[in-house]
Amino acid sequence: PLPVRLPASQWLHQERWVPARRSEAPLTREDECVLIVRTAADDQAERAEEFRNAHKLGATVVFGNRFSRTAKSTWMIRHAESDDYRSLFEALRLAGRLPTRVIHIAMTAEPAPAYDALSLARSAVDLALLARELHDAAKTRVVRLGVVVRNAIRAVDGDTVTPARGALRGLVETMALEFPQVASTMLDVDDHAL
């Protein structure tokens, strides 16, 4: 039998739904509140301190083995635990520190952890839980979520890459559609940029 030929109009994917529109109230510098999400790595602590000096920092979140408040504006949460994210955002709300901007630098640690399917899934779940809580807390403002990764995509020959980090690109793009109040972007940096 001959192959069936489809007209070109049927070759491309057509969206079945339209993402919800974002509502955005004007944001002043005084209103800005930045949340840093990082691991316990020392180099990330230094980067978080640089952000703290450059912005009005609302809080820092460090991944650990339990949910707890470890300092005045620092919380520890467990990976992929939705209750920890819910508790974190309730604590931030009560403290008047709901973020307007989030910088997620947890995937810039070097050397890159040996990523396997479980590690990638955990990172994906963490980002999805964070986006959901940001969206729910955003109300009338767009919250900016910047996911910074290291060596995820090969830009030039000879670049060292961590393919599992590159796989998160699709998730970040999907979050922008699924959570319209969260403006998600991914920034891939190489070793020289850090």
Side-chain angles (χ1 to χ4, degrees):
L2 295 173
V4 176
R5 295 195 181 261
L6 295 174
S9 63
Q10 294 180 7
W11 291 0
L12 302 175
H13 166 75
Q14 295 178 7
E15 286 189 28
R16 298 279 185 223
W17 57 275
V18 177
R21 288 183 39 167
R22 293 180 178 157
S23 60
E24 184 164 9
L27 184 65
T28 65
R29 182 79 173 153
E30 293 77 34
D31 293 333
E32 186 174 67
C33 189
V34 178
L35 175 67
I36 306 292
V37 180
R38 67 179 186 85
T39 65
D42 290 336
D43 64 325
Q44 290 187 349
E46 292 171 17
R47 271 185 230 113
E49 188 60 33
E50 290 173 19
F51 288 121
R52 183 187 317 275
N53 294 331
H55 299 280
K56 177 185 173 191
L57 184 68
T60 301
V61 175
V62 180
F63 290 108
N65 59 2
R66 68 186 190 290
F67 176 78
S68 64
R69 188 172 189 171
T70 59
K72 181 180 177 186
S73 62
T74 303
W75 280 266
M76 179 186 298
I77 63 172
R78 295 170 290 182
H79 281 288
E81 289 289 334
S82 62
D83 289 343
D84 285 8
Y85 282 92
R86 207 169 294 115
S87 298
L88 169 68
F89 274 81
E90 180 61 18
L92 291 172
R93 186 187 65 73
L94 290 173
R97 294 176 181 236
L98 280 175
T100 55
R101 199 176 291 259
V102 178
I103 304 170
H104 192 293
I105 61 173
M107 288 168 276
T108 62
E110 282 299 327
Y115 271 96
D116 56 14
L118 180 61
S119 297
L120 179 60
R122 186 177 66 187
S123 296
V125 169
D126 282 329
L127 282 174
L129 290 172
L130 176 62
R132 183 187 68 195
E133 292 299 328
L134 285 170
H135 183 265
D136 290 348
K139 305 283 186 237
T140 61
R141 290 205 171 131
V142 172
V143 177
R144 310 232 180 264
L145 169 60
V147 180
V148 183
V149 296
R150 186 180 205 167
N151 299 327
I153 301 166
R154 179 165 298 152
V156 296
D157 288 341
D159 277 357
T160 304
V161 297
T162 307
R165 290 179 177 170
L168 294 172
R169 179 178 174 193
L171 175 64
V172 172
E173 291 174 359
T174 301
M175 287 186 325
L177 296 172
E178 294 292 328
F179 303 109
Q181 291 298 110
V182 181
S184 306
T185 57
M186 185 171 126
L187 175 64
D188 180 26
V189 297
D190 62 13
D191 294 326
H192 305 292
L194 298 172

